[in-house]
Amino acid sequence: LVAWTIMITAFADTDDADGAQEFFDRMPQRDFVCWNAMAAARTHSGQMQLAKMLFDKMPERDVVSWTLLVVGNAEKGLVELAEAAFSRMPLRSVVSWNVMVQAYAQNGYLETARFTFDSMPMRTNISWNLLVAAYADAGQVQQARFLFDAVPDKDPVAWATMVAGYAQNGYLEEAQEVFEVIPQKTVVAWSSLIAAFAHAAKVESARRVFDLLPGRNLYTWNSMLSAYSQNGYGTQAVELFRQMVQEGGTMPDPIAFMSLLTACNHVGLVELSWEQFVSMRNDFGIDPRQGHYRCMIDVLARSGRLVEAEELMATMPFAPD
RNA sequence: GUGUACUGAUUCUCCAC
């Protein structure tokens, strides 16, 4: 039973809810944990109607089942339904409360989120961290900082969240100040610092941070790549991309290619753009998404190659916008 | 004592200016 549930979760982690369902259907017997795992798989792939069906069919529902219902509705923007599920729950764990705070915050009800946070019977680090992040996402950096200062035992996520909050809102100095005093600097904090410099157009500094940080990963490569591309350093971006693949042994993702194409675009390197665009699928097996097409069409059109631009637009597997 | 729910970093989009 445990092994089956692990399989279901593994499929869910790769966004394959149907694969999870196949396992679920073949299970000799089921307990509420595997029902929940299956409901979570549907919930996280956005299939709320199926998730709700599972919820209704469950022989028994525990706090996890109910919390999943809150999450699912919240992610679909259905705050009232999330709220209804939350109030109908027979029992609420701290996770349920966290989820409800998040539900309000992510749907624009920051005040209600705060009120709910204040009424929580107990809090974890996650409760604090998610609200700090919510304030920062809403551009309320001072509020974020104020709450951050009140966090009792700041974990590495809290610190990274605050640096990221400053970075995203263009507060370079504050981001640096917080970063300096972080007890355990995670790679997330490092990459946020790169972003902070990048948004302030301090590309050299961003690069210095990139060279200093321990443990490069896809995010740090991408952060540096976008630092170059957003500031018009086309050739550096291309070179960094090459290093990422060849020396870093990192598999680029669609985001890396967005930065790369944007970088080529800024420099007007049409041929190079096209090369990368083709290479995406041929060498890396990544199907270009709408953003990649848009970027590529833009490069072509700007350089006067209107026929090719039109052709690409006509053959792309998306509706033109 | 094992399996299921919640938080942080990179591009674009959206929104605002």
Side-chain angles (χ1 to χ4, degrees), chain A residues 42-52 68-82 102-103 106-107:
Chain A
R42 290 301 183 194
T43 300
H44 289 127
S45 57
Q47 300 167 306
M48 257 324 274
Q49 62 295 348
L50 291 172
K52 184 62 166 61
L68 277 165
L69 197 57
V70 180
V71 173
N73 285 315
E75 281 175 359
K76 283 261 181 271
L78 307 168
V79 187
E80 319 74 28
L81 286 181
Q102 180 83 306
Q106 286 189 331
N107 289 284

Side-chain angles (χ1 to χ4, degrees), chain A residues 194-205:
Chain A
I194 295 177
F197 280 114
H199 292 147
K202 309 229 175 195
V203 182
E204 311 303 334
S205 302

Side-chain angles (χ1 to χ4, degrees), chain A residues 105-173:
Chain A
Q106 286 189 331
N107 289 284
Y109 300 96
L110 257 186
E111 310 249 314
T112 314
R114 180 53 187 260
F115 179 80
T116 309
F117 174 85
D118 287 334
S119 354
M120 288 175 76
M122 75 289 268
R123 298 185 190 96
T124 59
N125 277 314
I126 292 181
S127 326
W128 292 91
N129 297 345
L130 72 84
L131 197 56
V132 171
Y135 278 126
D137 283 345
Q140 304 192 23
V141 188
Q142 318 299 342
Q143 287 288 0
R145 178 54 188 260
F146 196 69
L147 189 68
F148 173 77
D149 286 335
V151 179
D153 281 299
K154 296 176 185 58
D155 66 2
V157 174
W159 289 100
T161 301
M162 198 61 241
V163 176
Y166 278 133
Q168 286 155 358
N169 289 283
Y171 294 76
L172 173 59
E173 299 218 333

Side-chain angles (χ1 to χ4, degrees), chain A residues 15 62 70 114 145 178 197 210 215 217 256 270 277 280 290:
Chain A
D15 265 321
D62 68 353
V70 180
R114 180 53 187 260
R145 178 54 188 260
V178 173
F197 280 114
F210 178 76
N217 65 17
V270 191
F277 187 78
M280 266 181 87
Q290 201 161 5

Side-chain angles (χ1 to χ4, degrees), chain A residues 68-107:
Chain A
L68 277 165
L69 197 57
V70 180
V71 173
N73 285 315
E75 281 175 359
K76 283 261 181 271
L78 307 168
V79 187
E80 319 74 28
L81 286 181
E83 205 169 34
F86 183 75
S87 54
R88 287 183 54 206
M89 296 177 69
L91 276 178
R92 290 171 201 96
S93 70
V94 64
V95 175
S96 321
W97 282 92
N98 288 344
V99 164
M100 197 61 232
V101 173
Q102 180 83 306
Y104 286 127
Q106 286 189 331
N107 289 284

Side-chain angles (χ1 to χ4, degrees), chain A residues 12-13 34 53 83 139 152 165 180 183 188 220 225 273 283 286 299 315:
Chain A
D13 287 342
C34 74
M53 278 176 50
E83 205 169 34
E180 288 300 320
V188 178
T220 60
L225 207 49
S273 282
D283 302 334
I286 300 172
V299 186
T315 56

Side-chain angles (χ1 to χ4, degrees), chain A residues 19-85:
Chain A
Q21 183 82 51
E22 273 185 45
F23 265 83
F24 182 77
D25 290 340
R26 298 213 314 263
M27 289 180 74
Q29 74 261 345
R30 305 186 185 108
D31 62 2
F32 63 88
V33 175
C34 74
W35 277 96
N36 287 340
M38 191 58 233
R42 290 301 183 194
T43 300
H44 289 127
S45 57
Q47 300 167 306
M48 257 324 274
Q49 62 295 348
L50 291 172
K52 184 62 166 61
M53 278 176 50
L54 283 161
F55 180 86
D56 291 333
K57 277 169 63 180
M58 283 180 190
E60 47 189 348
R61 294 167 200 95
D62 68 353
V63 62
V64 174
S65 331
W66 281 97
T67 304
L68 277 165
L69 197 57
V70 180
V71 173
N73 285 315
E75 281 175 359
K76 283 261 181 271
L78 307 168
V79 187
E80 319 74 28
L81 286 181
E83 205 169 34

Side-chain angles (χ1 to χ4, degrees), chain A residues 241 251-254 257 260-261 273-290 292-293 296 312 315-318:
Chain A
F241 181 84
M251 186 66 182
D253 68 349
F257 278 102
L260 185 60
L261 290 175
S273 282
W274 183 251
E275 242 173 68
Q276 307 302 342
F277 187 78
V278 173
S279 154
M280 266 181 87
R281 184 184 279 117
N282 293 349
D283 302 334
F284 299 95
I286 300 172
D287 288 330
R289 296 179 186 176
Q290 201 161 5
H292 301 106
Y293 277 96
M296 195 62 234
L312 185 61
T315 56
M316 70 180 180
F318 304 100

